[in-house]
Amino acid sequence: MKYLKLLLSFILTAAIFYGLNNKFGDIPALGKFLAPNQGIWQNETDDIITGEVNIPSLKDVVTVHYDAQLIPHIFAKNDSDLYKAQGYITAKHRLWQMEFQTYAAAGRLSEIIGEGALDYDRSQRRNGMLFGAENSLDVVKQDPEALALLEAYSYGVNAYINSLEPEKYPVEYKLLGYKPEAWTIDKTMHLLMYMTDMLCGRDYDLEFTNTIKKFGKKRFDMLFPDFYDSIDPVIPKETDWSFIDTPMAEIPKDEMVKDSVSISEMMAKPHPNNGSNNWAVGPSKSVSGNAILANDPHLGLNLPSIWFVMQLSTPEHNVYGATLPGALGVIIGFNNDISWGVTNATRDVKDWYKIDFQDQSRKAYKYDDQWKDTSVRLEDIKIKGKETFIDSVIYTHHGPVSYDHKFKSDNELKGYAMKWAGHIGHNFTDLFYKLNRAKNYDDYRNAIKNHVAPAQNFVFASKTGDIAMWVQGQFPNKWKGQGKFLMDGSNPDHDWKNLIPSDYNAHTKNPERGFVSSANQHPTDSMYPFYVFNDGYDTYRSRIINNFFRSKEKFNVEDFKDLQNNNFNLKASEIVPYLIKNLNISDFNPDEKEALDILKNWDFDNHIDSKAPGLFASWNNNLYTMIWDEFDVEDETLKWPFTYQYMYMLKNHPNDKFMDVLETPEIEIAEDLIQQSFKETVEKLNKWKEKNGDYDWKNYKRSYVGHLLQALPAFSVQNIPIGGDGNTVNAMTRNHGPSWRMIVEMGDIPKAYGIYPGGQSGNPGSKYYDNFIDDWAKGNYFEINFMQSESDSTSIQSTQTLKPSK
């Protein structure tokens, strides 16, 4: 018995040892995770931001001042040292985030998460993410200066990685059971492809194809018009386009393929509301006489935060703003002479082509009445704990065949190929290097003129008072309707023939109205000669912004703050009175009468303490779903109508057959649906209230900022009291919204303000991890400390010196 107990004790000890040192599903190896010598306890709760650090290959000393927000102000003697320091400091505070995002971009999550990420990784590879990154790297390699700067940034990142002992790895590495690998310039390319893809989410070619096949062209055009009657475009309507002399593309015969799209499941797409606001006023509309610029990009909100704010300075330039961890330079920001920002532009730069293969070998596809050779790219996807999966991705001259019989389609002789501007090689490094150093409008224009993708509205303001907006990217000169639907991959007339010259991209400089603005709406009116596809992106925020700048003569920074935090719901103001007018209240119960009174007394502000926003949001969703039940069909990939057009249909075609509910024997009209959906909404909200408390907007919306690993609520911030919704200028939904609010007044020395939903540190144990969120939710800002020299000690809390190794 003594030996049996000893044996059992040994087995139990071995089992515990194994369990503590190996992962089980999503549970980390708890022994390593909790070990005093290398586990979570070794992660500091504060960041070391003092003292001296030796970094090999630095040419000179670099000074890093930190202010009260843990924002680094980096002063270097030359560009090479500057970007080594940027890489080092960014990695110091955001290493896991920057690397994890490159794994996601490159389709490598299976390496660290396991087989559950395989479908995602295959999608990334089949979207050509590595292919596009490699093309861009080839372009960068033709620019020795840009290449050297990228390598300097990588060197700085690796200097930090090499300084880490395992016990100091960020906590997420310990949770997932892996370690950082060396940073390369390829990883920066992957990250930039990730952002390019993130801002290309409104791609509906395949869904539109099935929708027009199902309902016919007349019905489709009614639901998805090329222009809305209320459009207030990015570039003012009065713009004269007579300087454009490039001929427009002619519409070919047989515009569409004959069959529907046979895909079992669409690949996951970026959030369709990834977008932004930006605007600028010139001296004539500014109280101070200085140009003022604002930008707030709307993205999915995560911790660590998307942006890392910093100042970068050499004797030749001085720039401040939001950087993207993993990429060099400032992406959105300002220097002493100019400021700039970006929003997503409504330009269609991703098209789909039907591919007919010659036979089951798929070594050739039909093109111009001949058979054209395909190529095959073998994508090796490593899987944690499993054998490597090899995906054979076929490439055509259009691009990768993303869907075929091996992936989400079942036809061995047919595939769907993607043509995307994101696959065209381009030099992001050159773009932001030049923008960071620009001194005037011409420099700004020179910096952005070769930008390829994603399509962006670049807003500009200068110390001299110039303001401008360019809708910039590399855009094919399409015939009307090209790329709206699936195209025939065998027809040369459906190829992208030529590109719109950059100088003919839609733009305006110092417009007579005194302001420029964009909020992802249609870029131009119908007088712009090139075909511009309407993707229904925005019809509300843009009108609120433009009407605001028409409302009075002059504006100041406080007006800009108020506008960025504006919660006015224009969509509700335009539809709620109509909905109320069409309600029959004769049989309303007390709950329904109370709900009606709430809506009648609503000022259409999505304030956190108001009940009306939640009531409207629920009613609107219920009514929308009820009207478009024809689209709610399993195994049919259809595009549901845009919000603006659904309201147009309610008001102008209330008896249309779309109003009829398919499951009932009666013939319903809009009035019936409005009545039924309201009653159902009140009943639904009362049940919700019993479980969750009152449906005031902050409680109903329950906004949060989640950790990048969504299974880590302890590293997230829940129930943030913030107003707005996706159609207000303060475009905050549950977990998507303003990721960096910036306002810059361009005086002799710029005066600027900023805030974002997170903090500078990527360490969940740091007080700087989420310290901005409360102020961000309240609409507060911190005043930006834009140091004019290394010796400027204003608001500096501590200093760290980076020195060359001896």
Side-chain angles (χ1 to χ4, degrees), residues 382-444:
K382 298 177 182 177
I383 305 173
K384 190 170 188 175
K386 302 280 186 178
E387 290 185 5
T388 295
F389 181 89
I390 300 176
D391 201 4
S392 301
V393 182
I394 297 170
Y395 274 71
T396 68
H397 77 286
H398 300 296
V401 179
S402 302
Y403 297 96
D404 59 21
H405 78 288
K406 293 183 178 179
F407 193 74
K408 301 184 184 296
S409 186
D410 56 6
N411 192 319
E412 291 193 7
L413 296 180
K414 183 165 65 175
Y416 302 99
M418 176 198 297
K419 177 72 173 181
W420 180 27
H423 293 151
I424 301 172
H426 52 292
N427 192 342
F428 272 108
T429 302
D430 181 68
L431 163 67
F432 291 111
Y433 182 87
K434 288 178 178 176
L435 262 182
N436 286 198
R437 290 157 177 76
K439 296 183 178 299
N440 50 46
Y441 173 82
D442 290 339
D443 288 348
Y444 147 82

Side-chain angles (χ1 to χ4, degrees), residues 50-222:
T50 59
E52 295 182 353
V53 178
N54 292 320
I55 297 181
S57 91
L58 278 181
K59 299 176 182 178
D60 212 325
V61 172
V62 177
T63 300
V64 184
H65 294 304
Y66 283 93
D67 61 25
Q69 289 86 25
L70 196 72
I71 294 171
H73 304 252
I74 301 177
F75 290 85
K77 304 294 192 299
N78 56 76
D79 286 340
S80 178
D81 283 355
L82 179 71
Y83 295 121
K84 285 174 187 173
Q86 185 186 10
Y88 181 91
I89 294 297
T90 304
K92 174 183 172 64
H93 300 290
R94 298 292 189 87
L95 176 61
W96 176 80
Q97 171 199 8
M98 58 195 284
E99 188 178 50
F100 181 79
Q101 290 180 154
T102 66
Y103 272 83
R108 295 181 58 199
L109 287 182
S110 298
E111 293 181 33
I112 56 176
I113 292 177
E115 197 170 18
L118 179 59
D119 192 66
Y120 172 85
D121 287 345
R122 292 186 70 189
S123 295
Q124 292 296 86
R125 306 296 182 97
R126 285 174 168 269
N127 278 335
M129 296 291 281
L130 289 178
F131 171 67
E134 290 164 6
N135 291 339
S136 288
L137 186 55
D138 287 342
V139 172
V140 172
K141 286 179 178 177
Q142 298 171 30
D143 181 348
E145 292 183 4
L147 181 62
L149 296 179
L150 275 177
E151 289 174 339
Y153 185 93
S154 295
Y155 197 97
V157 175
N158 287 325
Y160 180 72
I161 292 173
N162 294 336
S163 74
L164 286 179
E165 297 296 331
E167 62 267 21
K168 298 297 185 182
Y169 289 164
V171 65
E172 291 89 351
Y173 288 107
K174 298 172 183 178
L175 277 167
L176 294 173
Y178 75 113
K179 63 182 180 180
E181 64 182 15
W183 190 267
T184 65
I185 57 177
D186 303 70
K187 285 180 174 284
T188 295
M189 295 295 105
H190 297 161
L191 178 72
L192 294 171
M193 277 298 297
Y194 192 56
M195 291 301 294
T196 302
D197 182 57
M198 186 186 296
L199 299 174
C200 194
R202 302 184 73 83
D203 157 37
Y204 304 126
D205 303 27
L206 303 181
E207 296 94 328
F208 276 153
T209 300
N210 285 346
T211 303
I212 197 171
K213 295 288 185 184
K214 184 178 179 72
F215 298 110
K217 187 176 186 303
K218 183 177 180 181
R219 301 289 278 167
F220 181 91
D221 289 344
M222 180 172 69

Side-chain angles (χ1 to χ4, degrees), residues 594 598 608-612 614-615 685-702:
E594 180 185 0
I598 289 172
I608 57 174
D609 295 324
S610 175
K611 293 182 180 179
L615 179 57
L685 281 180
N686 283 334
K687 290 180 179 178
W688 187 93
K689 184 176 177 180
E690 291 175 2
K691 294 181 178 180
N692 304 284
D694 220 341
Y695 57 85
D696 54 85
W697 190 226
K698 65 176 178 293
N699 191 38
Y700 184 79
K701 186 168 65 159
R702 295 190 175 182

